[in-house]
Amino acid sequence: MSTGLELLQHALHAADHPVLNVTDVTRLYGERIGCADVSFKLWPGEVLGIVGESGSGKSTLLRCLAGLDRPSSGCVMLDDEGMTLDLHGLSEQQRRALMRRSMGIVHQNPRDGLRMDVSAGGNVGERLMDRGERHYGKIRSVASDWLRRVEIDPARIDDLPRQFSGGMQQRLQIARVLVSEPKLVFMDEPTGGLDVSVQAKLLDLLRSLVRQLNIAAVIVTHDLAVARLLTDRLMVMKGGCVVEQGLTDQVLDDPQHAYTQLLTSAVLS
Amino acid sequence: MTDLVRVTKLGKSFTLHNQGGVCLPVLGGVSFNIASGECLVLHGPSGAGKSTLLRLLYGNYKCSEGRIEIFHQTRWVDIATADPREVLEVRRHTLSYVSQFLRVIPRVSALDIVKEPLVVGGMANNLAATRAADMLARLNIPERLWSLAPATFSGGEQQRVNIARSFISITPVMLLDEPTASLDAENREVVISLIEEARKAGSALIGIFHDELVRERAATRRIDIQSFTIAEAA
Ligand SMILES: Nc1ncnc2c1ncn2[C@@H]1O[C@H](COP(=O)(O)OP(=O)(O)OP(=O)(O)O)[C@@H](O)[C@H]1O
Ligand SMILES: Nc1ncnc2c1ncn2[C@@H]1O[C@H](COP(=O)(O)OP(=O)(O)OP(=O)(O)O)[C@@H](O)[C@H]1O
Ligand SMILES: [Mg+2]
Ligand SMILES: [Mg+2]
């Protein structure tokens, strides 16, 4: 049990410590650059967008930040309940535990984030069990509540994900990730591959959940409208490097770098 | 009265990298203060840089030179050099920007859009809804529209929803970019009285109004933007 004082200390710590502190992260694939010299800090409740052309290193960077891949050099420091940990300095086992405890990852393809042979309710409930919840009735009721929050009829709690449409699978994946209320979420093209009307609904849902739960998030997207709607800050990548970063509306409305100007004008034409 | 905004030697030019790197100077040597209770009105011809100045103050455009200090809670913050996190913090509590366009959020009703700033500020949902309803009524939005998303509203209706949202929880510093552009006389009156109420509550306002009558009624002081315009690169 935490004492009131400990809780207060945690809260104070969280308020003035970044959730994520990234320094000079570089990932090389042999001679080829995946991403190079990326540095930034992410604070509690902040949503950072990463945009850039195909092959610019967005997914490579995200994988390094989320612990799915190891940078060739550089450092990813994570805040974990008041402790600052070096993600890639941990043992494999410690890193997996940390990822389960405090991070969530939403994959572009829901199949990569869901267990396709487990029911919808099971997909959501599993994450609660990871966190130590054992009471079956409680797990089922929380799972069904989350299905409702992502607008999946709770009557379908026992269906398998493959019986769902693409948009429903993506919403199920989001429920699976957010049910454990991670403080840090990574998303790689969360609305890619969905048709436009389904995208709009999903974006609206993401926007309100991220705000309600005060989640810090890093979202990779190639869609500037998505970036504008969901993110506070924006990072523009080209050839593996960050060419510009700042407030999302400033980067989009008054881009400074030639490449960002090209990117933003391409949308208008 | 105490100053809430201090602008010092502000300058702005745009470099268009994909059009031969041409540099477009817009503003230079802009200096003024705005005190609590004032409404400073900017005037000048189209293209002179009025909107650019407001966007610079909001942190939406990046300054080329100079300082923009906003008094935030207990300290001055220079928007020109503050990091994004700080700018967002100042926007959350101190600085707001009212344009003539509503940023429509898909599927969110007019009432929810208007009450959101109050709810974010910690007000109970019921009370916020009542206040939002009063504000929508004051701006003559028919009650049958309140529960609908404004995507399908007329331009003037959207504009009034935007004004309702902006004035429901006034901030110490408010930037107004033609908020009355397509309103009829009756609704313009409502906006003029909202501006007056904000001033009396101690806000510092800076506004652009295309309508001379509104300018006359709203302004406590005027600046001709052309005195800061760089006519031609020397
Ligand atoms: N496993 C890998 N082995 C070798 N090269 C790789 C590997 N993964 C990525 N790359 C290369 O690294 C660069 C960055 O790729 P990355 O997948 O990060 O791009 P991206 O910005 O996510 O692009 P997209 O928008 O198309 O998803 C590319 O040149 C890519 O070919
Ligand atoms: N993001 C931008 N990129 C490049 N040039 C810009 C940008 N924003 C404004 N400008 C230029 O700056 C100048 C001033 O524009 P601004 O919109 O501030 O004028 P204004 O005084 O508000 O005019 P109006 O009364 O017509 O609204 C114009 O030449 C405009 O083209
Ligand atoms: Mg990718
Ligand atoms: Mg203008």
Side-chain angles (χ1 to χ4, degrees):
Chain A
M1 242 350 251
S2 304
T3 66
L5 184 60
E6 274 165 355
L7 287 174
L8 182 65
Q9 280 167 343
H10 279 176
L12 290 173
H13 176 94
D16 65 356
H17 280 71
V19 190
L20 193 63
N21 189 350
V22 179
T23 317
D24 296 328
V25 163
T26 298
R27 173 66 164 104
L28 304 173
Y29 298 106
E31 294 281 276
R32 183 182 293 149
I33 293 174
C35 65
D37 294 327
V38 179
S39 300
F40 68 90
K41 292 189 178 81
L42 187 73
W43 300 86
E46 253 187 344
V47 181
L48 172 74
I50 305 178
V51 296
E53 67 198 352
S54 180
S56 59
K58 305 181 297 293
S59 298
T60 299
L61 174 62
L62 200 75
R63 293 171 57 80
C64 289
L65 303 179
L68 299 172
D69 192 3
R70 178 176 277 277
S72 312
S73 61
C75 180
V76 178
M77 304 295 287
L78 256 152
D79 187 84
D80 180 46
E81 293 164 9
M83 300 252 293
T84 305
L85 302 177
D86 177 355
L87 181 63
H88 297 286
L90 299 173
S91 72
E92 180 68 25
Q93 194 189 357
Q94 287 171 318
R95 184 167 55 251
R96 297 238 161 261
L98 174 63
M99 287 164 65
R100 249 200 317 276
R101 189 163 68 237
S102 57
M103 289 186 204
I105 302 173
V106 177
H107 298 268
Q108 172 169 359
N109 187 339
R111 286 166 182 276
D112 297 334
L114 292 173
R115 301 239 333 242
M116 299 305 283
D117 54 347
V118 170
S119 71
N123 264 286
V124 179
E126 194 176 52
R127 298 303 293 269
L128 290 170
M129 279 157 54
D130 282 348
R131 284 208 325 185
E133 182 60 58
R134 287 287 172 269
H135 187 277
Y136 177 77
K138 170 94 186 295
I139 291 173
R140 199 171 163 88
S141 87
V142 173
S144 120
D145 184 48
W146 265 93
L147 291 181
R148 194 173 310 120
R149 282 175 89 165
V150 299
E151 300 177 16
I152 294 173
D153 182 355
R156 301 192 61 176
I157 191 164
D158 295 317
D159 286 6
L160 291 176
R162 93 169 79 81
Q163 294 167 280
F164 291 169
S165 71
M168 286 168 78
Q169 287 181 9
Q170 194 57 304
R171 279 179 274 141
L172 180 61
Q173 189 191 186
I174 288 167
R176 176 178 160 93
V177 169
L178 297 186
V179 66
S180 56
E181 306 200 358
K183 280 293 143 222
L184 179 58
V185 173
F186 299 98
M187 306 189 196
D188 196 346
E189 301 278 6
T191 62
L194 299 177
D195 74 47
V196 178
S197 68
V198 180
Q199 264 193 35
K201 273 193 179 184
L202 192 67
L203 285 173
D204 184 31
L205 179 75
L206 277 175
R207 179 183 167 275
S208 62
L209 289 177
V210 164
R211 299 278 183 259
Q212 275 167 29
L213 302 173
N214 198 34
I215 291 169
V218 181
I219 301 179
V220 165
T221 175
H222 66 277
D223 187 333
L224 299 186
V226 170
R228 199 188 273 278
L229 195 68
L230 287 183
T231 69
D232 304 310
R233 277 164 54 199
L234 200 58
M235 216 154 76
V236 183
M237 293 187 72
K238 183 180 177 4
C241 299
V242 175
V243 295
E244 181 165 355
Q245 58 176 319
L247 264 179
T248 297
D249 61 281
Q250 187 188 88
V251 172
L252 294 178
D253 293 337
D254 187 16
Q256 305 293 307
H257 190 277
Y259 176 67
T260 319
Q261 290 187 357
L262 206 61
L263 209 64
T264 51
S265 65
V267 167
L268 295 174
S269 61
Chain B
M1 279 258 127
T2 45
D3 285 338
L4 296 180
V5 179
R6 295 196 300 226
V7 176
T8 316
K9 295 186 180 156
L10 181 65
K12 176 63 181 173
S13 55
F14 295 98
T15 305
L16 310 179
H17 291 289
N18 301 302
Q19 296 178 52
V22 61
C23 179
L24 210 74
V26 178
L27 297 169
V30 180
S31 298
F32 59 83
N33 293 1
I34 315 173
S36 159
E38 274 196 299
C39 179
L40 179 67
V41 165
L42 293 174
H43 62 102
S46 175
K50 302 180 296 296
S51 298
T52 298
L53 179 53
L54 292 197
R55 286 168 177 269
L56 287 165
L57 292 177
Y58 193 57
N60 176 236
Y61 281 2
K62 208 178 171 78
C63 296
S64 307
E65 55 190 38
R67 286 201 307 274
I68 297 169
E69 291 162 297
I70 306 281
F71 191 75
H72 172 61
Q73 292 173 342
T74 55
R75 66 204 166 95
W76 290 94
V77 175
D78 180 9
I79 295 293
T81 53
D83 66 27
R85 178 169 175 245
E86 238 182 336
V87 176
L88 289 172
E89 158 86 15
V90 172
R91 286 182 183 177
R92 211 154 16 240
H93 301 284
T94 304
L95 180 64
S96 56
Y97 177 87
V98 188
S99 79
Q100 55 178 295
F101 304 106
L102 177 69
R103 277 270 311 282
V104 184
I105 303 157
R107 298 201 310 165
V108 181
S109 75
L111 191 80
D112 286 347
I113 288 176
V114 174
K115 85 176 192 214
E116 189 184 17
L118 295 177
V119 175
V120 168
M123 187 181 284
N125 206 41
N126 284 349
L127 185 56
T130 312
R131 296 264 314 273
D134 290 346
M135 193 56 124
L136 284 166
R138 194 169 165 193
L139 281 149
N140 303 301
I141 303 283
E143 192 167 345
R144 64 189 155 78
L145 296 180
W146 296 357
S147 60
L148 304 178
T152 57
F153 291 10
S154 77
E157 284 164 350
Q158 289 193 13
Q159 197 175 354
R160 280 178 279 143
V161 172
N162 195 39
I163 291 165
R165 176 186 164 90
S166 306
F167 280 91
I168 196 156
S169 86
I170 53 170
T171 54
V173 179
M174 301 188 72
L175 314 168
L176 317 173
D177 192 343
E178 310 218 29
T180 55
S182 54
L183 299 188
D184 56 30
E186 185 187 352
N187 285 304
R188 274 202 306 265
E189 276 309 313
V190 179
V191 177
I192 290 168
S193 53
L194 287 170
I195 290 173
E196 203 169 289
E197 285 163 28
R199 280 203 305 104
K200 294 206 166 122
S203 291
L205 297 95
I206 171 166
I208 305 167
F209 307 97
H210 74 303
D211 186 317
E212 179 54 38
L213 192 84
V214 180
R215 280 208 284 263
E216 206 120 275
R217 300 271 311 279
T220 59
R221 189 152 59 99
R222 291 173 171 235
I223 291 187
D224 182 352
I225 190 80
Q226 281 172 295
S227 55
F228 304 126
T229 304
I230 304 177
E232 202 65 86

